[in-house]
């Protein structure tokens, strides 16, 4: 491939978050009421379609196809995977991060005391919102008024994060039962 | 594209990640956002450009490809880091429920674990350390970068049709 075609391919890949965002804009309106995290994951996955189509069209400018270049496909998959994963977590920051929520509370009134912040963001709200998300994503169910873990995916992620915290020298995470 | 691009991109990320682990274990930086950007993005990109300039193992387009691969992997890690650093309540809830298995936990049992300091105090300390908020008379106000950050998220969520506050 010529340098110009290769450079165009890099620009298409670097813009992957834009393609994902466009897909996400459409999906979040079409699937209103569904779990926002699931919609974001779906958008990140479906963002591969426009990205792949644009890469294929670009390769044809050089009278080739993507399948002629297996290393390029592996490269594109790695770059797209990294950017799609980062996109999902960027979206999730706006949805779930306490720091972003605190910044938004201060932004909305100009300045806040720590007590006002605690009032604006109550303990019960923190837990119920998170439990609702875990129920929506099918990781937790409610049985006789008790929350029970049924999915293994996010629990496995929690264990990985716990191990990573230990590797970085942070204190271990402790669950509500007091065990780490 | 040559396989060397994959080696450079992945290699730069692995080396940067190892440097991050060593740095955090030896002495965790107070302003961890700036330190993370330095060790995972600025330093490896600068080093890669310097090494490439000395030996020119491939052309400039392949260098850009290696840097893009590194940046995509580093971005993925940087976005994951807050979940580990900030003791995510969701992950704590999952660990608690996982430990109790079929018995589960009630809302009261779960809520009792989280103090107001856990909710707000520790995160406010992070925001102060990273200079995203500053103390003013009568409380805390946003820095210019925090204001830009909030505006970005407000616009981002509005374009997705999400109006109510997250968090």
């Amino acid at each position: 491939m010529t340098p110009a075609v290769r450079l165009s391919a890099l620009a298409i890949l670097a813009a992957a978050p834009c393609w994902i965002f466009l897909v996400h804009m459409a999906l979040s309106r079409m699937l209103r009421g569904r779990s926002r995290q699931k919609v974001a994951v779906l958008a990140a996955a479906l963002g591969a379609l426009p990205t792949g189509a644009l890469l294929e069209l670009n390769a044809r400018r050089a009278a080739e196809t993507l399948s002629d270049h297996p290393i390029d496909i592996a490269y594109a998959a790695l770059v797209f995977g990294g950017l799609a994963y980062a996109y999902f977590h960027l979206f999730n920051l706006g949805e779930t991060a306490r720091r972003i929520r605190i910044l938004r509370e201060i932004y909305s009134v100009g300045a806040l005391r720590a007590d006002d912040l605690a009032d604006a963001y109550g303990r019960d709200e923190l837990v119920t919102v998170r439990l609702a998300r875990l129920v929506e994503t099918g990781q937790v169910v409610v049985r006789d008024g008790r929350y029970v873990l049924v999915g293994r995916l996010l629990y496995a992620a929690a264990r990985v994060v716990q191990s990573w915290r230990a590797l970085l020298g942070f204190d271990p995470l402790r669950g509500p039962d007091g065990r780490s | 594209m040559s396989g060397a691009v994959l080696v450079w991109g992945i290699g730069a990320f692995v080396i940067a990640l190892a440097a991050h682990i060593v740095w955090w274990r030896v002495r965790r930086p107070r302003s961890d956002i700036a330190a993370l950007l330095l060790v995972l993005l600025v330093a490896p990109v600068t080093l890669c450009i310097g090494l490439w300039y000395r030996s020119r193992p491939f052309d400039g387009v392949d260098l850009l490809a290696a840097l893009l691969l590194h940046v995509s992997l580093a971005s993925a890690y940087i976005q994951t880091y807050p979940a580990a650093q900030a003791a995510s309540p969701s992950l704590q809830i999952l660990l608690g429920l996982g430990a109790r298995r079929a018995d589960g936990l009630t809302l009261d049992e779960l809520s009792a674990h989280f103090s107001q300091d856990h909710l707000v105090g520790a995160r406010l300390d992070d925001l102060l350390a990273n200079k995203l908020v500053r103390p003013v008379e009568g409380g805390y106000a946003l820095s210019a970068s925090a204001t830009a950050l909030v505006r970005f998220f407000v616009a981002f969520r509005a374009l997705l049709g999400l109006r109510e506050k997250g968090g």
Side-chain angles (χ1 to χ4, degrees), chain A residues 144-157:
Chain A
D144 302 325
R146 302 183 76 82
Y147 290 88
V148 178
L149 184 73
V150 288
R152 306 310 289 180
L153 182 66
L154 291 184
Y155 178 65

Side-chain angles (χ1 to χ4, degrees), chain B:
Chain B
M1 182 183 300
S2 68
V5 169
L6 294 179
V7 173
W8 271 58
I10 295 171
F13 174 66
V14 170
I15 291 168
L17 199 60
H20 156 60
I21 293 167
V22 171
W23 185 355
W24 260 241
R25 288 192 71 90
V26 171
R27 184 175 182 161
R28 196 181 317 142
R30 181 161 160 73
S31 174
D32 55 354
I33 296 175
L36 206 58
L37 294 177
L38 176 68
V39 74
L40 280 161
L41 287 175
V42 178
V45 166
T46 308
L47 275 174
C48 279
I49 292 171
L51 284 173
W52 176 83
Y53 191 76
R54 284 184 62 179
S55 58
R56 308 264 177 142
F58 37 64
D59 67 12
V61 178
D62 274 357
L63 172 67
L64 283 178
L67 293 179
L68 177 61
L69 176 55
H70 168 73
V71 167
S72 76
L73 297 174
S75 303
Y77 177 75
I78 289 168
Q79 291 292 356
T80 310
Y81 173 80
Q85 183 270 343
S88 157
S90 295
L91 298 185
Q92 287 177 280
I93 290 170
L94 285 164
L95 289 172
L97 294 178
R100 294 297 294 264
R101 299 178 186 276
D103 292 340
L105 288 162
T106 64
L107 179 59
D108 287 343
E109 287 168 333
L110 286 162
S111 294
H113 177 69
F114 298 101
S115 65
Q116 286 296 2
D117 180 60
H118 183 113
L119 289 181
V120 176
R123 299 289 67 81
L124 204 48
D125 289 345
D126 284 343
L127 294 170
L128 283 164
N130 285 292
K131 297 185 171 57
L132 288 169
V133 298
R134 55 193 166 81
V136 293
E137 195 176 339
Y140 298 96
L142 300 186
S143 66
S145 54
T147 302
L149 188 67
V150 173
R151 285 182 179 154
F152 166 79
F153 275 107
V154 169
F156 181 51
R157 297 180 87 252
L159 286 168
L160 291 174
L162 307 172
R163 300 290 171 188
E164 66 276 30
K165 290 169 185 167

Side-chain angles (χ1 to χ4, degrees), chain A residues 86-135:
Chain A
Y87 175 89
F88 170 74
H89 280 283
L90 179 70
F91 167 75
N92 225 17
L93 268 184
E95 288 296 294
T96 67
R98 282 167 292 160
R99 280 178 285 198
I100 300 297
R101 172 68 185 270
I102 290 169
L103 293 179
R104 286 192 68 172
E105 294 291 349
I106 297 173
Y107 177 77
S108 63
V109 292
L112 271 179
R113 292 181 297 120
D115 291 348
D116 297 330
L117 279 170
D119 290 344
Y121 196 1
R123 183 177 69 179
D124 288 345
E125 183 199 340
L126 173 127
V127 178
T128 53
V129 163
R130 278 159 179 78
L131 282 170
R133 273 201 293 265
L134 291 171
V135 170

Side-chain angles (χ1 to χ4, degrees), chain A residues 26-46:
Chain A
L27 285 182
S28 66
R29 286 165 173 80
M30 288 160 57
L31 302 174
R32 208 176 283 278
R34 303 283 181 89
S35 158
R36 291 175 180 178
Q37 274 70 26
K38 280 187 176 175
V39 172
V41 169
L42 187 62
L46 290 179

